[in-house]
Amino acid sequence: MSKKNSKNKLLKIVHDQNLIDFFYLNYTIDDLIEKIHSLKFKDFSSKHREIPFTAKNREYIGAYDNEDYFWLVKEIKDEEILEHKLFELAYYLDLRLQTLSAPSILIKQEGKFYRGTKLVTGAMQIHSYNYLQPDFLKVLACDLINRWLFFDEDRNPNNYLVIQNSIKTPLIVAIDNNKVDLLSDEIKITGNEKKFGWHRKEKTRFLTLLKPDNFENLSINIFDHRLRRLMEITEEELKRYCKKIFVEDVENSKETTDLVVSNILKRREYIDQYFRKFFKEHDETKEQEQDARYAGLGKSFLDYYKKK
C-alpha cells in the first residue's frame, strides 16, 4: 500500500483533488517510483489530436497510460538511456523539494525506449503572465535552488507553464529537464562572491527568468523552506532512488549511483552556504517596497501586451 505524502505543502496550494492525483502529490518518492514504473502504455501514435503542434514538429508522438492520462513520447537511442534516467531522477527530486513539476520519465515499450512527459492541459506558458509579481517571483526564486542543484543552465519562459485550480490560484509548473547535468563532478554554476549572482560554464542565451537582478533584496525566509528540504535528504535516500531507477538498463549502475549521489551532496552544501550568505532575515519594509515595485512593473508588462 502506498504511503501518503501528507507533509507536502503543495497539497494545500494545489487544492483540487484531480490536480493532486495528476501530479502524484499524495505519494512518497519511493512509492511514486514504483507506481510510475508499473504504468502500462498503449496507443503509441502520431495521430492523436492531443499532441500540440510544436511537439509534432519535434517528432513527438502520443500515448495513453492505463489510468487514461495522455503522455507526449519520443523514441530515444540506446546510448541516451542513462541521460534520460537522470532526467527522471531530477523530476523525483523536484517533487521531493515540493516543486510542482510535470511528470517526466523513461518509458520502455516492446524493447524500445521513449522519453515521456505527461501532458499538462489547460496551461499557458509563463510569459503570458507577469512573472515579476511577488507570488510568481517567490516560486521562481525557490526553483532557482533546484536548477543550481541540477546544473540546468537553460531555464527560460518555455520551461514553465501556468495552470489555475478551481479557486483561480495560478500554479507554476516546471517542465523539461533535458538540460540537467548530474554527472559533472565540478561545480559548473558558481556564485559571485561580491553580490548575489552566478558564473556559468556554458554560456547559454537563456536563464532569463532566473537572472540575479530579479531576486535582489529577498529575505532568507523565502528560501529557507526549500533549503531545509534540500539539506534533509539523506545519502541513503538518494542511493535508494538511484537504485530503483537504474536497476535495469544502466550499465555500471553502482558506480553511476555513487557519482550522482556524491555530486548532489557536494552541490547542496555549496548552495545552502551560498544562499544563506547573501540572503538575511525578513525585513518587512524592504519586501513591501519590492512587492510594490514589481507590482508596478507587472501593470506595465500587462498593459504592453494588451496593446499588442
Side-chain angles (χ1 to χ4, degrees):
M1 180 178 294
S2 297
K3 298 176 182 176
K4 296 299 183 182
N5 193 11
S6 59
K7 294 182 180 179
N8 192 343
K9 70 173 186 177
L10 287 174
L11 293 172
K12 183 177 180 180
I13 296 170
V14 171
H15 185 268
D16 297 357
Q17 189 61 49
N18 65 313
L19 292 176
I20 290 170
D21 293 341
F22 180 92
F23 289 105
Y24 307 117
L25 302 183
N26 260 334
Y27 287 87
T28 64
I29 302 303
D30 288 292
D31 285 339
L32 178 55
I33 295 172
E34 292 181 15
K35 174 183 175 56
I36 282 186
H37 285 191
S38 69
L39 289 174
K40 306 298 181 185
F41 291 86
K42 59 187 178 181
D43 300 333
F44 284 68
S45 173
S46 62
K47 298 180 180 179
H48 293 295
R49 67 178 183 275
E50 293 94 336
I51 305 172
F53 177 76
T54 53
K56 281 189 176 182
N57 282 347
R58 295 165 61 192
E59 300 181 343
Y60 279 86
I61 62 175
Y64 288 93
D65 66 24
N66 53 288
E67 297 177 338
D68 290 326
Y69 288 117
F70 189 75
W71 295 69
L72 296 175
V73 299
K74 183 177 183 179
E75 188 174 353
I76 67 165
K77 300 175 182 177
D78 287 354
E79 57 265 31
E80 298 174 337
I81 290 172
L82 174 58
E83 180 182 4
H84 286 83
K85 291 275 189 179
L86 294 173
F87 299 164
E88 181 177 336
L89 175 60
Y91 158 64
Y92 296 129
L93 291 174
D94 265 349
L95 205 61
R96 179 66 174 81
L97 294 171
Q98 297 187 355
T99 301
L100 197 59
S101 184
S104 179
I105 64 172
L106 183 67
I107 298 168
K108 186 175 183 180
Q109 183 80 0
E110 297 181 353
K112 296 181 180 180
F113 291 90
Y114 300 84
R115 62 176 298 178
T117 301
K118 205 172 186 181
L119 182 64
V120 180
T121 59
M124 296 182 68
Q125 288 186 334
I126 198 170
H127 59 61
S128 298
Y129 289 79
N130 167 25
Y131 50 77
L132 291 179
Q133 65 175 294
D135 288 344
F136 276 33
L137 195 68
K138 290 172 184 177
V139 173
L140 293 172
C142 288
D143 192 61
L144 182 60
I145 292 169
N146 300 42
R147 307 311 140 195
W148 277 36
L149 181 68
F150 302 149
F151 286 173
D152 185 348
E153 299 190 59
D154 190 9
R155 301 304 289 182
N156 64 80
N158 295 326
N159 299 128
Y160 299 94
L161 299 176
V162 179
I163 59 174
Q164 290 196 357
N165 61 16
S166 62
I167 56 175
K168 305 302 181 183
T169 304
L171 306 168
I172 297 178
V173 182
I175 63 171
D176 196 356
N177 285 326
N178 69 348
K179 299 297 183 182
V180 164
D181 177 2
L182 290 171
L183 295 178
S184 176
D185 60 0
E186 62 173 321
I187 301 290
K188 288 172 61 178
I189 301 179
T190 55
N192 186 330
E193 290 303 318
K194 294 183 178 179
K195 59 179 289 189
F196 177 70
W198 51 88
H199 309 285
R200 292 175 287 141
K201 298 281 286 189
E202 299 173 13
K203 302 299 183 182
T204 64
R205 295 181 296 113
F206 298 117
L207 267 173
T208 51
L209 258 67
L210 304 184
K211 61 183 180 181
D213 292 351
N214 288 344
F215 309 107
E216 287 182 350
N217 300 322
L218 292 182
S219 73
I220 191 62
N221 304 64
I222 301 299
F223 302 98
D224 183 64
H225 180 266
R226 181 65 53 87
L227 291 171
R228 285 189 288 107
R229 294 283 302 181
L230 177 61
M231 297 305 292
E232 74 183 16
I233 302 174
T234 67
E235 180 177 357
E236 177 187 6
E237 185 179 350
L238 290 170
K239 287 184 175 180
R240 193 168 65 242
Y241 297 163
C242 290
K243 183 176 180 181
K244 289 175 181 287
I245 298 167
F246 301 156
V247 65
E248 297 179 357
D249 309 312
V250 173
E251 296 181 1
N252 304 317
S253 60
K254 184 182 183 304
E255 290 82 357
T256 301
T257 294
D258 290 343
L259 175 60
V260 169
V261 171
S262 174
N263 286 341
I264 291 173
L265 295 177
K266 285 189 298 185
R267 294 178 195 183
R268 74 171 184 180
E269 290 288 342
Y270 181 87
I271 292 167
D272 185 63
Q273 292 175 13
Y274 184 82
F275 274 69
R276 294 190 183 282
K277 174 181 177 180
F278 279 92
F279 294 99
K280 304 306 178 184
E281 287 297 323
H282 178 76
D283 184 327
E284 186 172 348
T285 301
K286 281 187 177 180
E287 288 202 6
Q288 285 177 349
E289 289 174 353
Q290 177 164 306
D291 286 356
R293 179 161 61 93
Y294 282 129
L297 285 172
K299 185 177 185 304
S300 300
F301 178 93
L302 292 177
D303 287 346
Y304 171 78
Y305 276 97
K306 284 177 183 177
K307 294 175 183 177
K308 293 191 74 175

